[in-house]
Amino acid sequence: MTHEIAVIPGDGIGQEVTPAAVEVLETLEIDFEFREGDAGDAVQEETGEALPDETYELAASADATLFGAAGETAADVILPLREAVDSFVNVRPAKAYPGIDAVRPETNLVFLRENTEGVYSGHEDRLTDDVATLTRVVTESASRQLAEFACEYVEDNDYDGFTTVHKANVMRETDGLFRDTVADVADENGVETDEVLMDAFATHVCLEPDNFDVVVCPNLAGDVLSDLAAGLVGGLGLLPSANVGPDRGLFEPVHGTAPDIAGEGVANPAAAIISAAMLVEYLGYDEDGAAIREAVETTLEEGPRTPDLGGDASTDDVTEAIVDRL
Ligand code: GGG
């Protein structure tokens, strides 16, 4: 069976780490057909469109998509691409790996981020020179779909339950609906949950990250708090993600375009390569996913390492080491 994979590197270091992930996938004995699409700031500059229709269609029809990063055009690229694959949840694991100098080496958690609404719904207006507004959308149906996924996720991965993070004491209607819906679904499925206000969570996760494992949160909170967790485990170069939909998925490192190092060939490819492991697992190849993870983990522990992790290796050196260990 051939799996069609859309490859959309985007901008900045997306152009460096996405080919690294493809190189790793090419070493597997799985029949992939890779089809590349353009998106991002550079395409916008060239054509006036950050996400050409053909790229959207590519992601909407492929079995899975590998995405790199988008910069200024993130809202015009990532949000429609997630919509193209019908993704309702962004799975973002944040794990401290052996051998990496992590601020909190005991960190091992997974964010399940709502992926369609909240403040990322796109309802923003500039009313006057002085006033800009944003409408935050939360629906019972999207909160329910996320919570149902979370219940299945904790059961499939042998977790005791999950923590819901929200700010319902201030955003009473929106986060109130989110919190109550998630709690109802957990109840219906017999899954244990607790809840923490998102500001308090930001402190607690820094002080005692091992108090948390699966964290269910609204869209913006998941985006921000997973970057915070990246700081606990050694940096953004280590966080992969899966945008999961019912029939397809889009897999991308959590990091952005990193303009400060783009073009230098020293970006850490680990996050993109672990995202590729999540892609093959999504397609049902669990053993291949585990093999990629093991090769990445050994490389993180034994080297070579890119400068963000204190090494002096290039993206290519690290990718080659991972491929050799597969
Ligand atoms: N690879 C992820 C990426 O390009 N991140 C930049 C960004 O602004 N992301 C926002 C989001 O993940 O919703």
Side-chain angles (χ1 to χ4, degrees):
M1 180 183 189
T2 303
H3 300 284
E4 189 179 305
I5 308 297
V7 178
I8 307 172
D11 293 307
I13 62 167
Q15 290 285 339
E16 299 162 46
V17 298
T18 315
V22 171
E23 201 179 320
V24 168
L25 290 179
E26 280 173 338
T27 64
L28 304 177
E29 284 176 14
I30 302 175
D31 201 2
F32 290 121
E33 187 182 314
F34 296 103
R35 302 190 52 200
E36 190 153 335
D38 292 325
D41 300 356
V43 188
Q44 159 106 324
E45 223 163 273
E46 232 173 79
T47 67
E49 252 186 328
L51 184 66
D53 287 349
E54 55 269 30
T55 307
Y56 181 95
E57 288 309 325
L58 191 62
S61 61
D63 297 314
T65 298
L66 261 185
F67 175 66
E72 291 303 313
T73 52
D76 304 314
V77 173
I78 304 177
L79 303 185
L81 281 178
R82 289 177 183 153
E83 179 204 283
V85 301
D86 246 341
S87 173
F88 55 89
V89 55
N90 189 341
V91 181
R92 293 187 159 193
K95 174 177 166 180
Y97 293 99
I100 297 299
D101 188 16
V103 175
R104 288 287 180 197
E106 65 275 42
T107 309
N108 189 0
L109 42 97
V110 181
F111 292 90
L112 302 180
R113 164 190 176 191
E114 200 288 319
N115 218 14
T116 61
E117 49 188 32
V119 296
Y120 285 10
S121 311
H123 305 293
E124 243 194 331
D125 285 302
R126 183 67 181 255
L127 300 185
T128 68
D129 283 350
D130 187 43
V131 181
T133 60
L134 167 65
T135 302
R136 184 169 194 260
V137 177
V138 172
T139 63
E140 200 257 348
S141 50
S143 307
R144 175 163 281 276
Q145 195 175 21
L146 172 71
E148 282 167 354
F149 179 90
C151 291
E152 261 181 62
Y153 189 90
V154 297
E155 199 173 307
D156 291 351
N157 295 284
D158 289 330
Y159 289 105
D160 292 336
F162 62 80
T163 301
T164 310
V165 167
H166 59 79
K167 191 69 186 161
N169 60 334
V170 174
M171 296 180 279
R172 294 194 181 104
E173 292 303 332
T174 50
D175 266 14
L177 177 60
F178 178 82
R179 175 198 58 195
D180 294 348
T181 306
V182 172
D184 285 351
V185 172
D187 238 25
E188 287 160 19
N189 286 276
V191 170
E192 274 183 39
T193 62
D194 56 3
E195 54 179 79
V196 185
L197 292 174
M198 65 175 79
D199 45 359
F201 175 85
T203 305
H204 287 175
V205 77
C206 292
L207 297 176
E208 291 181 301
D210 47 349
N211 278 353
F212 303 102
D213 39 37
V214 180
V215 178
V216 173
C217 46
N219 203 338
L220 176 64
D223 196 13
V224 174
L225 295 172
S226 56
D227 274 35
L228 184 152
L232 302 179
V233 302
L236 274 166
L238 298 170
L239 258 64
S241 85
N243 297 279
V244 175
D247 301 314
R248 28 187 66 84
L250 180 143
F251 301 81
E252 56 173 326
V254 165
H255 63 69
T257 57
D260 52 330
I261 56 161
E264 292 178 15
V266 294
N268 186 349
I273 294 174
I274 307 168
S275 302
M278 295 174 92
L279 181 152
V280 297
E281 287 161 358
Y282 179 79
L283 293 176
Y285 300 96
D286 287 353
E287 281 181 20
D288 295 271
I292 297 175
R293 287 171 189 280
E294 201 183 318
V296 173
E297 290 189 22
T298 309
T299 305
L300 289 173
E301 190 168 8
E302 296 176 9
R305 296 191 189 137
T306 42
D308 57 308
L309 300 177
D312 59 4
S314 68
T315 309
D316 288 348
D317 296 334
V318 174
T319 307
E320 201 178 305
I322 292 170
V323 166
D324 286 349
R325 285 176 169 127
L326 264 172

